[in-house]
Amino acid sequence: MTTDQTNRRASSAVAAIVAIIVVAVAALMVAPNLAVTSAGGAEGATTAPPSSVTATGEITEVEVTVQGMSFIPGTIEVPVGNTLVVTLNNTGDQRHDLTFANGVTIEPVAPGASATVEVGVITADMEGWCTLPGHRQMGMTLDVIAVGAAASTSESADSDTNTNTGTHTMGHSMSSSTAPGMDALIAEAAATDPYPAELPLLSDETTHEYTFTVTEDEQSLAEGVVRPVWTYNGTSPGPTLHGRVGDTFKITLVNQGTMGHSIDFHAGIVAPDEPMRTIEPGESLVYEFVAPRSGIWMYHCSTMPMATHIQAGMFGAVVIEPDDLEEVDRQYVLVQSDIYLDDDFAAGDLVPDLTAFNGRPFQYDAHPLTANVGERVRVWVLDVGPNSALSFHVVGTQFDTVWSEGAYSVHHSTSTDGLTKGDTGAQVLPLLAAQGGFVEFVPVEAGTYPFVNHIMSLAERGAHGLFEVGE
Ligand SMILES: [Cu+2]
């Protein structure tokens, strides 16, 4: 055990004792029907028993632990009228909190730490859950059963009225999944600097060292529509890395967020246990790998639930060039991702509210990418999902070269003008979540060439942009 961990455990223990004292003092002040409320100020935080229920004055104490993304036990039986006191002992590998339907909350508890709260006099069945984004949908719920309660009282703590948007800790209240329209999205994109789509130049270095700092921020998608975004180095996608086969990458991951985060580089092959572990706020780790194979490889946060962390912005690309890659005139990188404005995806909704290339819907409609007639354009494309597929197409062109997941399916002839008789071609680069590749085309006329996800409903939700081709 490191000194760090020792200190953390010690301070956690202090925190737990403080929490117990707070409960005890509060009980003296407000007894018998107190409820300890969270700093979030939940509504309806008291549990005054209905007249049909008499407080027994008895206390039921229960210890709840964490296993994976579940609370153990999942059901707590309390004789009706008893006061429930719950200790959350976080035996999991990341932070969790515990909120009850009456508003009583245990604030986030670090792994290895515990905290105690007085839930109040139990008069009816009631649900509890973790409010960290996506955790409730992953199954972090528990049921308090009021043993001996009259059936008519068991509706008073109906959990359905306590919808969890999954944004509790971010302080947001986005409750509607009504997505803004295309015009509103383009207007916001026009007022925002675009994510640079140009592939960063290859350096001579064979060892690439970076610090990736995780922060939690907000992204304004359209007037009045703001969502939480969690990022590596402040942008989503995070930095695009570029190297050759055999290069070493050494990334120091620093978590400056409020919850556990991690990183998983598909570009390397490592035992996941240590480098991909979730680190707590304030902690860091070093993730080193050698890139054994060429490709455009996804990286992403792999903290549960991954759908939540990826769609919140924690992804990026590592481009490892094949050794014999031909020089071209322009190279761009486009990363498609899904955006959900509610937490439905964590419950299995595969259709996003919005989609984006490089983190913002329609941003390259507002800020078109450029090329000139006769230039060979290579577009590296990665689909990070977390759910949607990508059928990448550039309107008005044919791809004379397509390389996907390690192999060419179409490769242009030695004549590079794109018009050699007898050449084969392709209309899309199809990619499932976490697949990547590149396409090449040579525009023959000046004009405006849209690039789209040819799964058209997804293009119309934001996976759309423009190439402005000059003479
Ligand atoms: Cu994360």
Side-chain angles (χ1 to χ4, degrees):
M1 181 183 286
T2 67
T3 311
D4 232 347
Q5 286 170 321
T6 310
N7 288 340
R8 183 153 49 80
R9 296 250 162 90
S11 62
S12 299
V14 170
I17 291 165
V18 169
I20 291 166
I21 292 169
V22 167
V23 169
V25 171
L28 288 172
M29 291 164 61
V30 203
N33 290 331
L34 91 149
V36 179
T37 60
S38 73
E43 290 169 30
T46 56
T47 48
S51 54
S52 59
V53 173
T54 308
T56 61
E58 304 278 315
I59 293 174
T60 300
E61 288 185 89
V62 176
E63 182 176 309
V64 174
T65 60
V66 175
Q67 189 177 318
M69 297 297 275
S70 299
F71 289 119
I72 308 292
T75 301
I76 297 172
E77 296 196 344
V78 183
V80 66
N82 275 19
T83 296
L84 174 62
V85 173
V86 170
T87 295
L88 174 60
N89 183 9
N90 187 355
T91 49
D93 61 0
Q94 63 164 301
R95 287 178 169 243
H96 298 290
D97 65 19
L98 178 54
T99 283
F100 291 90
N102 65 358
V104 174
T105 294
I106 294 176
E107 293 294 316
V109 176
S114 59
T116 300
V117 75
E118 181 171 318
V119 181
V121 176
I122 299 305
T123 61
D125 295 352
M126 179 166 67
E127 197 181 9
W129 62 91
C130 177
T131 73
L132 291 185
H135 289 207
R136 185 184 192 181
Q137 289 75 8
M138 288 285 290
M140 294 206 76
T141 61
L142 56 77
D143 291 310
V144 178
I145 304 297
V147 176
S152 60
T153 65
S154 59
E155 293 304 310
S156 63
D158 186 352
S159 64
D160 290 347
T161 60
N162 291 275
T163 53
N164 171 28
T165 61
T167 54
H168 168 88
T169 57
M170 303 297 293
H172 291 267
S173 59
M174 187 183 294
S175 58
S176 166
S177 65
T178 306
M182 181 172 162
D183 290 346
L185 292 162
I186 292 178
E188 189 70 15
T192 310
D193 287 339
Y195 182 94
E198 295 77 16
L199 176 68
L201 291 177
L202 201 54
S203 72
D204 292 333
E205 291 173 351
T206 56
T207 298
H208 308 263
E209 293 193 35
Y210 299 89
T211 297
F212 276 22
T213 302
V214 176
T215 53
E216 296 160 10
D217 201 355
E218 293 180 335
Q219 179 187 39
S220 175
L221 290 167
E223 176 126 22
V225 182
V226 175
R227 72 171 189 134
V229 283
W230 310 336
T231 61
Y232 297 111
N233 288 358
T235 63
S236 176
T240 300
L241 308 187
H242 189 191
R244 293 186 177 83
V245 174
D247 284 2
T248 297
F249 291 81
K250 191 173 174 185
I251 287 85
T252 301
L253 181 71
V254 179
N255 185 357
Q256 291 184 357
T258 65
M259 67 191 95
H261 293 292
S262 58
I263 198 162
D264 169 355
F265 285 96
H266 294 190
I269 43 178
V270 297
D273 310 61
E274 286 300 310
M276 296 183 200
R277 72 186 188 273
T278 292
I279 56 172
E280 286 299 298
E283 294 183 342
S284 65
L285 60 74
V286 176
Y287 188 135
E288 188 169 336
F289 65 92
V290 174
R293 297 182 179 90
S294 58
I296 175 169
W297 303 93
M298 180 178 177
Y299 66 79
H300 62 92
C301 182
S302 57
T303 298
M304 297 275 265
M306 267 186 250
T308 300
H309 287 249
I310 293 170
Q311 82 83 31
M314 303 192 74
F315 56 79
V318 179
V319 175
I320 304 296
E321 294 207 3
D323 284 340
D324 53 354
L325 194 63
E326 177 193 340
E327 291 232 350
V328 293
D329 299 296
R330 292 171 191 265
Q331 294 197 78
Y332 292 109
V333 180
L334 295 174
V335 178
Q336 177 184 277
S337 62
D338 299 331
I339 295 171
Y340 290 83
L341 299 179
D342 56 31
D343 248 6
D344 289 353
F345 60 96
D349 177 8
L350 296 181
V351 182
D353 296 303
L354 297 169
T355 53
F357 284 120
N358 294 347
R360 175 177 288 283
F362 299 113
Q363 66 180 319
Y364 304 115
D365 286 78
H367 306 278
L369 305 181
T370 57
N372 290 315
V373 168
E375 288 183 335
R376 176 160 291 274
V377 181
R378 177 181 294 138
V379 186
W380 294 85
V381 190
L382 177 69
D383 182 23
V384 298
N387 297 326
S388 295
L390 168 58
S391 180
F392 184 74
H393 175 69
V394 182
V395 178
T397 72
Q398 293 178 345
F399 304 142
D400 66 10
T401 297
V402 176
W403 187 97
S404 179
E405 291 288 292
Y408 288 98
S409 58
V410 179
H411 202 169
H412 73 87
S413 65
T414 50
S415 169
T416 58
D417 65 3
L419 290 172
T420 306
K421 193 172 163 78
D423 269 2
T424 57
Q427 55 208 302
V428 297
L429 167 58
L431 300 169
L432 294 175
Q435 288 189 313
F438 65 78
V439 297
E440 294 175 14
F441 62 95
V442 180
V444 297
E445 284 187 289
T448 304
Y449 293 71
F451 58 87
V452 302
N453 184 344
H454 220 295
I455 302 172
M456 292 316 309
S457 293
L458 297 178
E460 285 153 12
R461 290 176 183 213
H464 184 286
L466 300 174
F467 277 105
E468 207 64 74
V469 175
E471 292 292 344

